[in-house]
Amino acid sequence: MAETRPHITVGHHDQYGVVAATSHDNHVAEHILRLVGFERLPGSTLYGLTDPQRDPVRRGAQAVQSLRAAQYRVNADVAYDLQPHTRLGTGQGLLERLEKPSASTVTPSAQRRRSEAATAISPARATAMPARQPGVAVEYRPATSTPQPVRTR
């Protein structure tokens, strides 16, 4: 199956900072970009992050997460992508990525290791949590209270 192009690509531009580009002529995607903090750059098809000096990496990563939560396919530079299996290399330019999206190179064994790591309990949490015995259910005990008298008029 051929890989489909992303709806939106987010990357770094030397002059404008964090930028986004849509690969489809989609007015809804343009509206969503404005909602997550991008504005159309004058004379360009790119969208720049508003107020680019204010924490661009965090805001760019949040924008990528919001776009994905809105069910858009998003390719992003490593700095703005919190999902390692969809990251692109940093050697390609933003416009080149729109023309030739990279193929996923995640092997089944790497995918298995990631899923095991995602479901494992963190060593930091393991020491903070009390040890539970397997197969022992937590017993529910309602609080004992004295019955309240019924008021009548």
Side-chain angles (χ1 to χ4, degrees):
M1 184 167 116
E3 183 177 337
T4 58
R5 293 175 69 184
H7 292 113
I8 299 169
T9 301
V10 177
H12 179 77
H13 189 277
D14 291 334
Q15 183 179 1
Y16 299 114
V18 182
V19 294
T22 60
S23 61
H24 301 85
D25 188 22
N26 185 340
H27 298 292
V28 177
E30 294 175 11
H31 177 71
I32 294 293
L33 281 172
R34 285 191 291 279
L35 288 177
V36 296
F38 286 90
E39 61 186 9
R40 186 114 190 207
L41 296 173
S44 175
T45 59
L46 296 176
Y47 293 80
L49 192 61
T50 57
D51 196 10
Q53 295 80 22
R54 187 173 53 100
D55 202 5
V57 174
R58 181 188 60 79
R59 291 178 58 225
Q62 283 180 334
V64 169
Q65 284 184 308
S66 296
L67 291 166
R68 287 189 177 137
Q71 301 300 311
Y72 284 95
R73 286 187 308 273
V74 180
N75 281 350
D77 280 348
V78 173
Y80 314 117
D81 196 351
L82 301 178
Q83 296 179 355
H85 66 278
T86 60
R87 289 183 179 164
L88 296 175
T90 57
Q92 297 175 315
L94 181 64
L95 297 177
E96 291 172 6
R97 285 187 221 149
L98 285 174
E99 294 168 3
K100 298 181 250 176
S102 66
S104 177
T105 57
V106 178
T107 63
S109 62
Q111 184 69 27
R112 181 183 46 77
R113 287 192 309 272
R114 286 181 183 167
S115 66
E116 288 172 358
T119 57
I121 295 177
S122 164
R125 290 197 56 145
T127 58
M129 296 173 58
R132 289 183 52 185
Q133 297 174 355
V136 176
V138 176
E139 184 180 330
Y140 172 72
R141 293 184 201 152
T144 57
S145 64
T146 58
Q148 298 294 321
V150 177
R151 293 184 181 171
T152 58
R153 290 185 181 200

